[in-house]
Each structure stands twice: as structure tokens, then as C-alpha cells.
Amino acid sequence: MSQARDWQVDVAKSSLTFKGSYQNGPFEGKFGKFDATIVFDEADVLKDRFDVTVQVSSLDTQSAERDDTLRTADFFDPAKFPQAHFVSQAFAKGADGGLEAKGSLTIRDQTKPVTLKVKFVASGNTATLDVDTTLNRMEFGLGTSKDWVDIAKDISVHGHLALSGK
């Protein structure tokens, strides 16, 4: 009989990245500090759980000027809102047949429903977990003034977690 398994995240081998565009030019970034509690069993998704906390001040877009801007009150404002938090509520098969995690994401003081496309590959005591979604930054109060209209609203997010079984 299969059972849900707790997985330990190897942060050094894992990444949480995002992509967007500014004045039609692409940019990429990552968050360097995040924690995740992953309980996963492909055979019984009712027991599965993702709980991810991101330290938003750890963002890095390879541009000090852009990073400083993203840390202002117009965007992430880590002094007031130091963390973003995702917690899953349900797992189901998506329209494409792949697994989806439905949950709530809180950025700043905004909590919204989010669906992650999930790809989980286990090999004995190790596994990889890849998740993808697209967020509308405006829904989370990120750069909502007219000063920031040159930034695309849709931001794609990708998480790649290297896991080991507990």
C-alpha cells in the first residue's frame, strides 16, 4: 500500500524563477531564499500538500536598479511584507491530463487562488518537482500605478525542487 511521503528540499539544487517583460524586453529573476514542505504521493493525491514560503527580499534579476525598484512599496515592499506564501488545497488532473495543484498564494496583503502545473519524477529516495504558473502581478498589488504600465502584467513562474525522501 502506498502512502504520502514527506520530501526534504535540497535548496542548493533547487530554484524559484520568474520571467516578465519591461518595454517589450524580457527579463528574468530568481528568489534565493525559500522553504518548502512537500508531502507527495502520486497514487493518492488526497494526501498531497505543498507549503512554500519565499523571502521576497532575496529576489535577484541581475540588475541592481531593477532589484531596488522591486523592493519598493510599489512592488514587493519586503520591509512591510517580507514573505510570499503558497499553500495547496487540492490536487487534480488538469485539462491536458497533467497534475495540477490548486491553492492560495499570498503576496503583500493579497491572497488569490492559483493553479500550478505539477511534474513530479521520483527515482528511489530522490525526486524532482517542477511547478509552473502565470501570475497577473496587478492582482497582487505589484506595480499598479500608471508609472509601471511598461511592465507586462503576466509573469511566468517556475519552481524546480530537488527532493530527497525523509
Side-chain angles (χ1 to χ4, degrees), residues 104-125:
S104 296
L105 175 64
T106 302
I107 299 175
R108 296 177 54 101
D109 57 353
Q110 301 294 314
T111 300
K112 303 291 180 189
V114 170
T115 299
L116 305 177
K117 290 186 179 287
V118 176
K119 183 178 180 192
F120 183 85
V121 178
S123 177
N125 245 5

Side-chain angles (χ1 to χ4, degrees), residues 68-83:
D68 289 347
T69 298
L70 291 174
R71 289 185 185 107
T72 66
D74 282 349
F75 288 91
F76 286 104
D77 196 4
K80 190 172 181 183
F81 307 104
Q83 300 174 330

